[in-house]
């Protein structure tokens, strides 16, 4: 029953505004060029605020889905309710009636904060906008400004730090590339190092033993005996060299 009453009240409010505008249009002394007095504008604005609150609380927004202005009014009211709290009553209203538009400001009280509902009508008294703005204290505004500043500066510093880390990491890129290249060429380098590290055989200097007369005599006697000669005459030992094999040890 309450839902039906609220809907009918909303429709009646709009119809009343139109009727008042038509009636006042013929009396230039009691109204502006729009055909609407300030008192009528204030009454319309306060009734509109009450209807919006009743419709939102009753969950009947879907019935006005075809009206984009009213739908936006519902969304703004619900968004403001998070900081305003539950609507309590109207504490003040003011209207500015002009030639081309009418601005109605209705101040409402909530359980947490006050809010201002700004209602705009064009020169034909058609509703064009309904916006609910929560009124914050100077301390709250300062706190929000500081928080926004801190978040913005913090984001900038974080990005700068990340950029500095990325730039500093460029130093390690050549080292990483060199490490991968060393891994790919490891077998060839190992072979080269093995070849280089293998010492070349050192040639032993030849020993000239011709000055050792006793050794020369023994060698000459051994040769003469092996050839069946009775003496060493005619044998000349020019040089004696050490053999490179160990035949005597194997014998």
């Amino acid at each position: 029953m309450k839902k039906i009453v609220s809907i009918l009240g909303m429709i009646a409010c709009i119809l009343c505004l139109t009727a008042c505008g038509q009636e006042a249009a013929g009396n230039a002394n009691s109204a502006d060029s729009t055909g609407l007095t300030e008192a009528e504008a204030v009454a319309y604005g306060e009734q509109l605020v009450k209807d919006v609150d009743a419709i939102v609380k009753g969950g009947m927004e879907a019935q006005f889905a075809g009206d984009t202005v009213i739908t936006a009014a519902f969304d703004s009211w619900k968004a403001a309710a998070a900081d305003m709290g539950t609507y309590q009553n109207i504490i003040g209203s003011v209207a500015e009636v002009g030639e081309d538009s009418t601005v109605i400001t209705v101040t409402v009280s909530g359980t947490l904060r006050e809010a201002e509902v700004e209602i705009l009508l064009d020169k034909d008294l058609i509703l064009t906008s309904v916006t609910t703005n929560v009124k914050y204290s100077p301390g709250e505004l300062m706190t929000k400004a500081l928080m926004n500043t801190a978040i913005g500066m913090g984001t900038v510093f974080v990005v700068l730090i990340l950029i500095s880390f990325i730039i500093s990491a460029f130093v390690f890129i050549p080292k990483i590339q060199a490490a991968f290249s060393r891994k790919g060429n490891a077998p060839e380098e190992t072979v080269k190092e093995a070849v280089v590290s293998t010492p070349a055989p050192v040639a032993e200097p030849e020993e000239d033993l011709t000055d050792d007369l006793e050794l020369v005599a023994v060698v000459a006697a051994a040769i003469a005996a092996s050839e069946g000669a009775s003496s060493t005459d005619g044998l000349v030992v020019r040089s004696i060299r050490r053999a490179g094999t160990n035949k005597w040890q194997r014998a």
Side-chain angles (χ1 to χ4, degrees):
M1 186 64 181
K2 290 183 179 180
K3 294 182 179 180
I4 298 175
V5 172
S6 299
I7 296 173
L8 292 176
M10 186 74 172
I11 297 173
C13 180
I14 297 174
L15 293 176
C16 179
L17 175 62
T18 306
C20 289
Q22 292 176 350
E23 180 181 354
N27 189 357
N29 295 327
S30 60
D32 266 315
S33 58
T34 57
L36 183 68
T37 64
E38 292 184 3
E40 292 169 346
V42 168
Y44 170 74
E46 292 180 353
Q47 184 61 46
L48 181 61
V49 170
K50 294 177 182 178
D51 291 337
V52 168
D53 180 66
I55 292 171
V56 170
K57 286 181 178 178
M60 296 178 292
E61 299 97 314
Q63 301 183 26
F64 299 88
D67 193 330
T68 56
V69 176
I70 296 299
T71 301
F74 295 150
D75 294 338
S76 179
W77 182 266
K78 289 188 291 186
D83 294 331
M84 180 183 69
T86 304
Y87 165 75
Q88 292 182 325
N89 55 10
I90 296 174
I91 59 179
S93 301
V94 63
E96 296 179 3
V97 180
E99 295 181 357
D100 297 327
S101 63
T102 300
V103 180
I104 308 167
T105 304
V106 181
T107 305
V108 299
S109 175
T111 55
L112 299 178
R113 295 178 181 87
E114 296 180 359
E116 289 183 347
V117 182
E118 187 178 81
I119 303 167
L120 300 180
L121 303 173
D122 63 7
K123 61 181 180 180
D124 297 324
L125 302 180
I126 297 175
L127 184 65
T128 59
S129 174
V130 180
T131 307
T132 305
N133 301 312
V134 180
K135 296 175 65 176
Y136 298 98
S137 64
E140 290 174 334
L141 293 175
M142 183 64 69
T143 302
K144 284 192 172 186
L146 291 176
M147 288 181 62
N148 292 333
T149 304
I151 292 173
M153 294 181 64
T155 303
V156 172
F157 278 113
V158 169
V159 172
L160 291 176
I161 291 171
L162 289 176
I163 292 174
S164 65
F165 277 126
I166 293 173
I167 294 174
S168 62
F170 288 164
V171 180
F172 300 99
I173 293 177
K175 296 181 180 179
I176 295 173
Q177 292 178 344
F180 279 109
S181 63
R182 282 198 300 270
K183 289 182 180 179
N185 300 329
E188 296 181 1
E189 292 183 358
T190 304
V191 173
K192 291 180 181 179
E193 291 178 358
V195 172
V196 172
S197 61
T198 302
V202 180
E204 296 182 358
E206 296 182 356
E207 296 183 5
D208 190 1
L209 302 178
T210 53
D211 293 336
D212 194 341
L213 298 178
E214 294 182 357
L215 181 59
V216 170
V218 172
V219 171
I223 294 173
S226 63
E227 293 181 353
S230 58
S231 66
T232 59
D233 294 340
L235 294 177
V236 178
V237 179
R238 297 183 182 279
S239 64
I240 300 174
R241 297 178 182 177
R242 186 184 300 275
T245 61
N246 296 325
K247 294 182 179 180
W248 292 104
Q249 294 179 356
R250 289 196 296 270

